[in-house]
């Protein structure tokens, strides 16, 4: 999932992570396991730590599981901002207070599967009902350690599209049907930026082509198989996708085709309802934001087109801390929540495309149409097809921190008026001082 919080990652130091890891190992070494701590009446409460919107409550899955298992009570402990969630999780790995189930963002999974942290989590590869072949292979591999333990089951992936306002495109003299819109920028993110110039030349008063150059930068990087790491080493300074993304973000800022909003903050949310931008990069999870923040009055005004290039932005896992009081029951819950039928229900409710590929062709996913976008845009077919086209990229232990650092860097240009050179140098200094 999710994603809405992805941009808010905070730079965390390697020292902090290493310290947490060491303490986690110590904690794991003296931890309990199994379900021996159930109450005298056999009742068990399972807690689920999440960030953003995983959709389990919205899809009624917790209620359904408790009906199937009357001895189980489920309590979700949600956090809005993923960066805050990750910071707290690191602290709890050393100090206690972990939930029975902990969500992990894809940008953290490389660190979670490293030698420093992997032993803090239970192996889910042989949990009841789990079948490796059901999951997208690259998603399964991301959560698998070097010694073959799978410490997280994929909840969703973030295949990208472009969501756009049909009414604003028409007013600016651009085509508005999805096929024609997709052709405007097919195969090249530079064409997307150039389309922004065309839009801006005849833009309705007070509107911009895109919401944020940060979104553009992240989309370009997410479209590449080489992002911030190469062969296990930090390589962002020589990454072609980082260079291309940065250069295009600079063009968007200088061309004033971006409204310069900080994604996921309140002004960004408000701009949806005020109809002040015409496009936003649209991983599948973005559908929920569009509908929530645009409001009923804008129903049917958004539509969805193919992106310049296929890519993945976001996606998460569910993990079970090995030190939990109810490890076996937590494994069963995670296996059930990530099974095809349950992931299909989450998609129908909040738009998160399943990481379980067995769900992609289920009725209710492949034939799902979004009544708000289009209206009745064939989002199930669009995102299921896009998910299968994703080429996995090497993530690295601090991918999420790097995403946050570059988002801040682009914002230095958009919101603080820094030159591209000043913003780049500030970004590099921040990374060099906090990430090794």
């Amino acid at each position: 999932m999710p994603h809405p919080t992805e941009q808010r990652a905070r730079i965390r130091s390697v020292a902090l992570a290493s310290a947490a890891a060491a303490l986690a190992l110590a904690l794991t070494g003296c931890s309990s396991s199994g379900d021996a701590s159930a109450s005298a009446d056999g009742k068990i409460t399972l807690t689920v730590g999440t960030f953003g919107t995983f959709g389990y409550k919205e899809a009624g899955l917790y209620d359904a599981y408790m009906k199937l298992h009357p001895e189980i009570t489920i309590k979700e402990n949600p956090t809005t901002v993923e960066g805050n969630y990750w910071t707290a999780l690191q602290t709890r790995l050393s100090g206690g207070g972990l939930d029975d189930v902990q969500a992990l963002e894809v940008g953290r999974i490389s660190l979670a599967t490293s030698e420093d942290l992997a032993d803090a989590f239970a192996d889910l590869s042989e949990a009841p009902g789990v079948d490796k072949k059901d999951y997208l292979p690259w998603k399964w591999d991301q959560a698998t350690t070097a010694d073959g333990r799978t410490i997280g089951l994929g909840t969703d992936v973030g295949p990208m599209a472009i969501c756009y306002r049909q009414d604003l495109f028409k007013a600016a003299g651009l085509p508005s049907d999805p096929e024609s819109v997709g052709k405007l920028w097919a195969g090249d993110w530079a064409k997307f930026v150039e389309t922004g110039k065309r839009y801006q030349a005849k833009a309705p008063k007070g509107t911009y082509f895109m919401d944020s150059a940060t979104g553009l930068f992240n989309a370009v990087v997410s479209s590449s198989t080489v992002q911030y790491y190469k062969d296990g080493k930090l390589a962002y300074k020589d990454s072609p996708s980082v260079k291309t993304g940065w250069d295009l973000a600079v063009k968007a800022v200088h061309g004033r085709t971006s409204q310069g909003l900080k994604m996921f903050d309140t002004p960004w949310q408000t701009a949806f309802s005020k109809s002040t931008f015409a496009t936003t990069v649209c991983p599948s999870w973005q559908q929920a934001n569009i509908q929530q923040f645009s409001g009923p009055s804008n129903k049917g005004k958004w539509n969805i087109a193919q992106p310049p290039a296929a890519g993945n932005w976001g996606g998460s896992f569910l993990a079970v801390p090995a030190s939990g009081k109810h490890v076996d029951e937590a494994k069963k819950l995670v296996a059930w929540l990530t099974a095809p039928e349950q992931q299909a229900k989450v998609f129908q409710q909040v738009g998160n495309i399943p990481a379980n590929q067995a769900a992609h062709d289920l009725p209710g996913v492949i034939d799902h149409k979004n009544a708000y976008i289009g209206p009745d845009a064939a989002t199930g077919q669009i995102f299921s097809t896009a998910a299968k086209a994703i080429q996995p990229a090497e993530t690295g232990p601090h991918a999420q921190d790097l995403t946050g650092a570059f988002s801040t860097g682009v914002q230095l240009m958009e919101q603080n008026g820094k030159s591209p050179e000043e913003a780049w140098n500030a970004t590099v200094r921040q990374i060099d001082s906090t990430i090794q």
Side-chain angles (χ1 to χ4, degrees), residues 82-371:
E82 192 277 338
N84 295 343
Y85 170 88
W86 177 246
T87 299
L89 177 58
Q90 288 181 304
T91 301
R92 289 168 182 164
L93 281 170
S94 60
L98 289 165
D99 289 305
D100 295 293
V101 176
Q102 296 281 175
L104 296 172
E105 166 64 33
V106 64
R108 314 291 187 186
I109 197 64
S110 181
L111 186 57
T113 56
S114 68
E115 291 183 357
D116 287 341
L117 284 182
D119 286 347
F121 300 102
D123 183 6
L124 299 173
S125 62
E126 296 183 358
V130 171
D131 190 339
K132 176 181 176 180
K133 72 175 187 306
D134 283 350
Y135 293 83
L136 288 165
W138 59 269
K139 187 77 174 180
W140 181 274
D141 291 343
Q142 283 180 330
T144 301
T145 64
D147 62 358
R149 297 186 309 112
T150 301
I151 59 96
L153 297 181
T155 60
D156 68 305
V157 293
M160 293 190 300
I162 298 293
C163 287
Y164 67 98
R165 283 284 298 259
Q166 301 171 94
D167 55 334
L168 297 182
F169 267 49
K170 286 180 181 177
L174 295 174
S176 59
D177 67 278
E179 183 176 355
S180 297
V181 169
K183 289 179 180 178
L184 290 172
W185 46 65
D188 193 344
W189 283 102
K191 293 180 181 177
F192 181 74
V193 175
E194 289 301 313
T195 302
K197 293 180 180 178
R198 290 178 58 189
Y199 175 89
Q200 218 61 54
K202 298 181 179 179
K205 186 178 180 180
T207 71
Y208 296 83
F209 177 65
M210 68 181 79
D211 53 346
S212 165
T214 299
L216 170 65
F217 172 84
N218 282 315
V220 174
V221 174
S222 298
S223 302
S224 175
T225 56
V226 180
Q227 300 178 4
Y228 300 113
Y229 287 85
K230 187 175 183 180
D231 300 328
K233 296 181 180 179
L234 195 60
Y236 72 93
K237 292 179 182 176
D238 298 319
S239 168
S241 68
V242 170
K243 182 180 187 307
T244 300
W246 184 269
D247 290 345
L248 290 177
V250 170
K251 288 184 178 180
V253 173
H254 286 176
R256 300 185 183 279
T257 59
S258 166
Q259 190 171 351
L261 297 167
K262 184 178 181 180
M263 294 183 72
F264 315 116
D265 270 8
T266 299
W268 179 79
Q269 297 172 3
T270 304
F272 277 98
S273 62
K274 292 185 175 179
S275 304
T276 54
F277 59 82
T279 68
T280 184
V281 176
C282 201
S284 54
W285 44 261
Q286 187 78 296
Q287 297 176 80
N289 292 328
I290 290 173
Q291 184 166 345
Q292 176 183 355
F293 300 131
S294 296
S297 64
N298 287 314
K299 181 179 180 180
K301 294 180 181 178
W302 285 94
N303 212 325
I304 185 168
Q306 293 295 326
N312 181 72
W313 182 354
S316 298
F317 303 83
L318 292 180
V320 174
S323 59
K325 295 179 180 178
H326 311 297
V327 172
D328 291 341
E329 292 303 331
K331 285 183 177 180
K332 293 174 185 175
L333 174 60
V334 169
W336 188 82
L337 288 173
T338 57
E341 294 77 11
Q342 280 65 254
Q343 293 205 8
K345 291 177 181 176
V346 169
F347 170 71
Q348 293 166 24
Q349 193 65 36
V350 299
N352 296 344
I353 276 288
N356 193 317
Q357 60 184 346
H360 291 168
D361 295 326
L362 289 178
V365 176
I366 189 65
D367 57 353
H368 180 75
K369 294 183 178 180
N370 190 318

Side-chain angles (χ1 to χ4, degrees), residues 380-393:
Q381 182 177 27
I382 292 170
F383 286 117
S384 294
T385 302
K388 295 174 182 176
I390 292 171
Q391 297 297 312

